[in-house]
Amino acid sequence: MPIEISDKSIKREFIERVMQLSGQDIYQCFQCGTCGGACPMSGQMDTVPRRIMRMAQLGLEEMVKDCKTFWTCASCHSCTVSCPRGIDVARVMEAIRLLTLRKNVNMVEPSKLPAETVKELPQIALVSCFRKLTS
Ligand code: SF4
Ligand code: SF4
């Protein structure tokens, strides 16, 4: 599906923040799709990492934040070691997560987790989840 763009949807500040926080030049991405092929979570993602990179290059902040891909990302770095342009894609995903979390938006609300789930999950999984998905 083509990405629809209007002048209003382009957020230059978003592009700058993503590059600043990730330390990556997202314009190096030439859309080869290797990152998605290497990603063990791509089957669970609503949009492949390549497409997130394209939306980020275009400054389509709202479109990026409507996706779940950067929350689904397991920070495994497979994409990073596979990218032929040397882009640390995992850091780009992290930067996009941070931009949401810094607005005090939680992806997971700890107080709303069912007691049964909390009891059954390994503590390390919970700690890791809270570190990554809460502000
Ligand atoms: S592997 Fe690198 S260059 Fe290829 S689409 Fe992913 S980020 Fe872009
Ligand atoms: S770091 Fe995230 S996007 Fe990259 S391969 Fe791992 S799960 Fe996929």
Side-chain angles (χ1 to χ4, degrees), residues 35 38-41 45 49 72-80 89-90 93:
C35 45
C39 177
M41 299 302 289
M45 289 172 172
T72 310
C73 166
S75 307
C76 70
H77 295 266
S78 291
C79 50
T80 297
V89 188
M93 296 289 173

Side-chain angles (χ1 to χ4, degrees), residues 13-57:
E13 195 193 334
F14 175 70
I15 304 171
E16 282 162 22
R17 297 297 312 281
V18 170
M19 296 219 277
Q20 193 181 44
L21 279 172
S22 67
Q24 304 303 302
D25 179 0
I26 58 177
Y27 289 110
Q28 288 299 313
C29 172
F30 63 170
Q31 293 288 290
C32 67
T34 306
C35 45
C39 177
M41 299 302 289
S42 59
Q44 275 69 49
M45 289 172 172
D46 53 1
T47 305
V48 290
R50 171 190 64 75
R51 205 169 153 87
I52 295 288
M53 294 298 294
R54 188 65 181 140
M55 288 188 247
Q57 286 175 331

Side-chain angles (χ1 to χ4, degrees), residues 11 14 17-18 21 46-47 52 55-56 59-71 95-103 105 107:
K11 304 276 169 52
F14 175 70
R17 297 297 312 281
V18 170
L21 279 172
D46 53 1
T47 305
I52 295 288
M55 288 188 247
L60 302 175
E61 181 175 15
E62 301 310 320
M63 207 180 274
V64 169
K65 289 187 174 171
D66 278 346
C67 298
K68 300 273 187 293
T69 294
F70 54 96
W71 297 116
I96 296 170
R97 278 196 298 274
L98 283 176
L99 286 174
T100 302
L101 294 174
R102 285 181 181 184
K103 290 180 180 163
V105 175
M107 182 58 184

